[in-house]
Amino acid sequence: MSAFEKCNVLIVDDELLIRHGIKHSIEWGEEGFDLVGEATNGAEALTLVESLHPHIVITDMVMPIMDGEALTTKLKEMYPEIEIIILSSFGEFDYVRSTFQLGISDYILKPQLEGPQLLKALKEAAQKIPGMKLQNSKGKPLEKPVMRLLEKLMAGNVATQVDIISYEETLFNSTFCMLALDLKKNVNQPNLDDEKIVRDIEQACKSNFRHVDIYRLPTRGGKCVLLFNCEKNQIQTIKEYIKTLSVSLRLREANLGWFLSAPFTNVLDLKHQYEKKLLPLIQYRFYLPERDVFIYDEIPKTPVLEKQFQLTKFTRLIQNHEFDTAFSYLAIYLQQLLHQYTTDEFELKALLGNIIFNIAILLENMDYDSRELKTDKYTYISLVDQALDAPKTLCMLNNFIAKAKAVVAIESIKPSQSNIQKLLDYIDEHYAEPLNLTEMGRKFHYNPSYLSNYFSDHSHQNFSEYLKQVRIRKSIELLQEEAHSIAKISTLVGYTDHSYFCRVFKKAMGASPSSYRRKYFSTRKREQ
């Protein structure tokens, strides 16, 4: 192998759009890579490997004829020197896990497949190839100490003395600020156009500011972030230029968001500035979708939220049939929440989804004819989760509440409500115990068989389903605390088998208990 050479890459994926997206996500030649070919399945890829001699293979997992796991096995047997990067979907991780034992270089989730992340994985794979030193399209070795420093800082690694010297020698201006371009709402354009949009804006900024150094930061989540290294007196000019550029591109890219962070003076503080200053600024757009430009000192203030929403209070009001008070309490709180611009999108949607779930279950347990709500609750939770902004999210909730109010208005409480309510209240209090129809029948002087039919007739669901819903609801409350392990929580809500609890929870909530807790605390951590 020569001292410097191009690193050959082969793409294997049966989806044309994915292959095109990979091809257009980075500047291959400038970064020292040569895209030598593409295949639609593992069998086709093996044939191409013989003739194209790739150093790196990027492969999907699920493909016809020969999938990614079989291809990885074959490649490691026949060409152990080839580095492999796996592409997979969220639901395929267990499938991917087996390939780690074969020595793959990296794996990337398809929903998170972006140029910076792919380039990082490619460079890390190239570093594992003995003797490989990348060269750009002009035959020059790639030496980008500033970019290596920025990648290290964004990853949260501590800068070395060498990094600091490199920073002092190459970043000459005194001030930094970040411009984020939010492409995730650009739903009317195919993803293949996103990289061109970013390159055009990046080039326009570099052309307009000759004495400002501009670097693209490695980020995730559909956002491109440009780091400006400028002088303090240039910040106002940058602000005005961004406003002008956004107006000129508005007709072409109507859904593009622009976010300029506050200036800072120490690039070693980059990750903190990104997470604590820029990301909260980007969150504003979810609450103010009519705006497209957000500049750090030209945004509305976030008022202090006096009190958090008390789901226990809301539930008690519903159970006491104080519906007007309950829905009024909810409406007032949500109006305040609309102005909490830095509240994480996931946190808001999780709250609204939880409210929908509880309203449906409460009305069902209170013997209202809420069969339609029971059927529709997951549809509305999904609509809330898919909403692009806070006003649309609240609109989905209000539509569900309107249906709930209609159920309350037309349904009167049945004569046997008091008896069924006693059963429901007992379950709510003793859910952690090994409840069954036999024990319940002994407690309330019913034959177990009769109790089963009575419960189904008057609560519109069977005993075990209601008990499961109560336990899931209680487990959610415990998962949002750090006091107990998941194994302990399964015991606290009445499951002696930890694995069975995890299966029941995932089926009900669409995520495992550990995934739910991780996502919940990740959101809380970003806000602290």
Side-chain angles (χ1 to χ4, degrees):
M1 185 175 291
S2 61
F4 299 98
E5 71 174 51
K6 286 288 187 66
C7 184
N8 296 334
V9 180
L10 173 67
I11 300 173
V12 189
D13 198 300
D14 61 323
E15 295 183 52
L16 177 62
L17 186 61
I18 295 295
R19 298 202 305 273
H20 281 188
I22 294 173
K23 288 164 63 177
H24 292 85
S25 62
I26 62 175
E27 294 293 337
W28 295 87
E30 291 183 9
E31 299 295 345
F33 297 92
D34 193 2
L35 192 55
V36 295
E38 53 186 288
T40 60
N41 59 69
E44 184 180 344
L46 285 176
T47 302
L48 292 177
V49 167
E50 295 178 4
S51 58
L52 299 178
H53 308 293
H55 299 103
I56 299 174
V57 172
I58 303 172
T59 180
D60 186 21
M61 282 301 291
V62 180
M63 298 180 293
I65 303 177
M66 179 185 288
D67 64 11
E69 184 179 26
L71 173 61
T72 300
T73 302
K74 285 287 185 182
L75 287 176
K76 285 303 178 181
E77 290 176 356
M78 301 168 63
Y79 309 98
E81 72 279 5
I82 292 179
E83 294 296 329
I84 301 171
I85 298 173
I86 296 291
L87 303 179
S88 73
S89 300
F90 281 111
E92 299 168 4
F93 181 76
D94 290 337
Y95 191 38
V96 174
R97 185 179 297 156
S98 62
T99 62
F100 281 98
Q101 300 175 351
L102 301 173
I104 67 169
S105 177
D106 204 348
Y107 87 99
I108 302 174
L109 294 172
K110 281 188 175 182
Q112 299 174 351
L113 181 59
E114 299 172 29
Q117 185 184 13
L118 175 60
L119 181 59
K120 182 175 181 293
L122 285 167
K123 287 183 175 180
E124 290 177 352
Q127 290 175 0
K128 298 177 182 178
I129 301 173
M132 171 63 71
K133 294 184 179 180
L134 300 176
Q135 68 175 25
N136 63 20
S137 55
K138 296 180 181 179
K140 297 180 180 180
L142 292 175
E143 294 293 340
K144 295 185 178 180
V146 175
M147 289 308 301
R148 287 201 298 272
L149 171 64
L150 297 179
E151 289 178 3
K152 179 179 288 189
L153 294 175
M154 288 296 288
N157 297 325
V158 178
T160 64
Q161 188 62 35
V162 174
D163 294 327
I164 296 173
I165 293 173
S166 172
Y167 152 44
E168 293 173 344
E169 291 178 347
T170 53
L171 298 172
F172 301 106
N173 299 317
S174 63
T175 304
F176 301 89
C177 64
M178 290 175 284
L179 171 64
L181 303 169
D182 186 10
L183 303 169
K184 72 176 182 178
K185 296 186 185 302
N186 194 358
V187 295
N188 296 321
Q189 299 286 341
N191 291 334
L192 297 181
D193 291 343
D194 288 352
E195 179 61 24
K196 184 178 186 306
I197 297 167
V198 171
R199 285 202 305 267
D200 288 348
I201 294 172
E202 184 177 5
Q203 187 56 48
C205 291
K206 288 180 177 179
S207 299
N208 190 73
F209 298 103
R210 297 287 184 179
H211 302 292
V212 174
D213 293 323
I214 300 175
Y215 304 92
R216 195 189 305 191
L217 297 178
T219 57
R220 298 181 178 182
K223 290 175 286 291
C224 166
V225 179
L226 302 178
L227 177 69
F228 288 69
N229 180 212
C230 60
E231 294 299 337
K232 185 177 181 180
N233 59 10
Q234 293 176 299
I235 293 294
Q236 186 60 36
T237 305
I238 292 173
K239 286 192 226 178
E240 297 305 322
Y241 180 71
I242 288 171
K243 294 176 186 178
T244 302
L245 187 57
S246 69
V247 171
S248 67
L249 292 177
R250 190 165 291 156
L251 291 178
R252 173 187 165 193
E253 306 299 339
N255 294 308
L256 180 61
W258 307 69
F259 309 85
L260 184 67
S261 75
F264 56 101
T265 58
N266 189 352
V267 76
L268 302 181
D269 197 32
L270 181 63
K271 184 176 176 64
H272 174 81
Q273 292 290 332
Y274 173 76
E275 293 181 344
K276 301 302 181 182
K277 303 296 183 180
L278 186 61
L279 290 183
L281 183 63
I282 294 173
Q283 192 65 48
Y284 269 71
R285 194 182 187 203
F286 179 71
Y287 293 90
L288 301 169
E290 72 282 357
R291 295 181 60 164
D292 56 1
V293 178
F294 298 82
I295 296 177
Y296 66 95
D297 58 352
E298 300 178 12
I299 53 176
K301 300 296 182 182
T302 300
V304 176
L305 188 62
E306 296 181 2
K307 294 182 179 179
Q308 293 294 328
F309 182 72
Q310 299 178 34
L311 185 58
T312 302
K313 173 182 177 180
F314 178 77
T315 299
R316 186 172 64 252
L317 289 171
I318 294 289
Q319 290 174 330
N320 292 338
H321 306 283
E322 299 177 55
F323 298 107
D324 290 341
T325 304
F327 291 131
S328 176
Y329 167 63
L330 175 61
I332 292 171
Y333 177 79
L334 293 178
Q335 281 304 311
Q336 296 179 46
L337 204 59
L338 274 178
H339 300 287
Q340 298 300 304
Y341 305 117
T342 57
T343 299
D344 187 82
E345 176 181 335
F346 170 74
E347 181 180 340
L348 174 65
K349 290 180 175 180
L351 171 63
L352 301 194
N354 201 12
I355 290 171
I356 289 173
F357 184 85
N358 275 276
I359 290 174
I361 298 303
L362 284 169
L363 291 181
E364 183 179 3
N365 294 340
M366 293 167 65
D367 210 23
Y368 282 88
D369 186 6
S370 57
R371 285 169 290 184
E372 187 175 351
L373 290 182
K374 179 181 179 181
T375 303
D376 290 348
K377 66 177 180 290
Y378 293 115
T379 299
Y380 278 93
I381 291 173
S382 178
L383 289 172
V384 163
D385 191 55
Q386 295 169 21
L388 294 178
D389 55 62
K392 289 187 176 66
T393 303
L394 292 189
C395 181
M396 295 301 105
L397 174 65
N398 288 333
N399 289 344
F400 181 83
I401 289 177
K403 282 195 170 186
K405 288 181 176 179
V407 168
V408 171
I410 64 176
E411 179 73 9
S412 59
I413 300 176
K414 297 180 179 179
S416 56
Q417 176 67 19
S418 58
N419 290 329
I420 190 66
Q421 192 61 50
K422 289 179 182 178
L423 295 172
L424 301 180
D425 290 343
Y426 185 86
I427 295 172
D428 285 348
E429 293 176 10
H430 300 271
Y431 61 90
E433 301 172 11
L435 295 182
N436 55 55
L437 287 169
T438 300
E439 292 296 326
M440 291 284 290
R442 185 179 299 116
K443 173 70 178 178
F444 290 92
H445 310 291
Y446 286 131
N447 177 279
S449 178
Y450 173 82
L451 179 60
S452 176
N453 293 330
Y454 179 87
F455 195 99
S456 298
D457 290 341
H458 293 84
S459 69
H460 305 297
Q461 64 183 147
N462 61 43
F463 168 83
S464 61
E465 186 64 21
Y466 178 79
L467 177 60
K468 181 181 72 175
Q469 290 175 349
V470 171
R471 287 172 168 173
I472 291 298
R473 188 164 68 248
K474 297 295 183 181
S475 67
I476 289 173
E477 295 175 5
L478 293 171
L479 285 168
Q480 293 178 356
E481 303 172 358
E482 294 183 297
H484 304 295
S485 67
I486 292 174
K488 179 65 174 178
I489 289 173
S490 67
T491 302
L492 291 175
V493 297
Y495 289 96
T496 57
D497 187 335
H498 168 62
S499 298
Y500 178 69
F501 164 67
C502 292
R503 291 197 300 272
V504 171
F505 187 97
K506 184 173 183 180
K507 184 176 180 181
M509 300 302 297
S512 66
S514 58
S515 295
Y516 179 91
R517 169 176 271 179
R518 189 162 52 249
K519 193 170 185 180
Y520 176 82
F521 281 108
S522 174
T523 299
R524 293 285 300 275
K525 185 177 180 181
R526 287 199 301 272
E527 295 175 350
Q528 294 174 353

